[in-house]
Amino acid sequence: NHRDLHLSIRRQRQMCIRDRIQSKRIKQLEQDGYYVIKLIKTNKNGIPDLVAIPPRSRVLFSEVKTPTGRLSKLQEFRLKELTQHGLRTEVYNGVTDMDPQKRKESDRAERILFNIEECQDLLANLYEGLVDREYEGATKDAQQIIIEIKTIIKSIEEDDF
């Protein structure tokens, strides 16, 4: 059927455009220091195409679309689900590049947040250790946790993380 052939050619053209946009995004993310994974098949339908992991920071899930592409309901659900799990997400269409300074500031804010959460976990461990002094070494553990927190705070102040 002529119509089916036309639709098949159009679908292939859209896939080529999307692949070029995706390659562009992978290169940009890698130049910015991310470790990028292109997902082909996952155990969850609708998961974004790319995973971009900054050094010592949070993961970024990147859904790649053509400039006129739209998210499916399932993709919208997955992006919301990932965001609710504290993960960063984006929908990238090759047109709306984020200003490098804004990206740098956003990444710095994410690293600071991650380090603050790490401090909160360490403080919770410190509290539990001090409350439960039944085991030997609680004071030593508390001292070690305080040293780790001071190291994290210093790295935040020096922006060296």
Side-chain angles (χ1 to χ4, degrees):
N1 182 337
H2 185 265
R3 188 175 193 284
D4 291 340
L5 178 61
H6 177 71
L7 289 175
S8 176
I9 291 171
R10 186 175 179 191
R11 200 173 304 124
Q12 287 177 342
R13 190 176 309 133
Q14 287 290 330
M15 287 175 56
C16 287
I17 293 169
R18 188 190 66 130
D19 288 346
R20 282 195 305 266
I21 294 169
Q22 193 173 76
S23 292
K24 177 183 176 183
R25 186 61 176 147
I26 290 169
K27 286 176 187 172
Q28 287 175 335
L29 290 167
E30 288 178 342
Q31 286 174 351
D32 289 344
Y34 287 86
Y35 181 80
V36 181
I37 301 169
K38 178 180 176 183
L39 301 175
I40 307 290
K41 187 174 183 178
T42 67
N43 64 325
K44 294 183 183 283
N45 293 331
I47 288 290
D49 305 299
L50 304 175
V51 177
I53 306 169
R56 297 179 302 270
S57 190
R58 294 184 178 224
V59 173
L60 170 66
F61 286 86
S62 182
E63 178 63 41
V64 177
K65 294 290 182 187
T66 64
T68 58
R70 295 181 174 270
L71 293 173
S72 70
K73 293 291 183 193
L74 180 58
Q75 289 170 327
E76 288 175 1
F77 169 80
R78 290 291 184 208
L79 290 172
K80 183 177 179 183
E81 178 183 60
L82 292 166
T83 302
Q84 288 174 341
H85 280 282
L87 302 172
R88 297 180 335 149
T89 63
E90 71 174 8
V91 178
Y92 180 80
N93 64 12
V95 177
T96 55
D97 294 344
M98 184 185 284
D99 174 39
Q101 182 61 32
K102 285 184 180 178
R103 185 181 304 129
K104 184 178 178 182
E105 290 169 5
S106 173
D107 288 346
R108 182 175 188 278
E110 286 292 328
R111 289 192 304 271
I112 290 171
L113 179 61
F114 178 79
N115 282 291
I116 289 170
E117 290 170 351
E118 190 176 343
C119 284
Q120 289 173 332
D121 291 343
L122 291 169
L123 286 170
N125 291 339
L126 173 61
Y127 176 77
E128 289 172 13
L130 293 175
V131 168
D132 182 21
R133 288 186 163 254
E134 294 178 14
Y135 74 92
E136 290 183 31
T139 305
K140 186 178 178 184
D141 287 349
Q143 290 170 340
Q144 182 61 38
I145 288 171
I146 290 169
I147 290 169
E148 289 178 42
I149 289 172
K150 285 181 179 179
T151 302
I152 291 170
I153 291 169
K154 185 177 179 185
S155 73
I156 290 172
E157 290 172 346
E158 294 173 356
D159 196 17
D160 182 32
F161 43 80

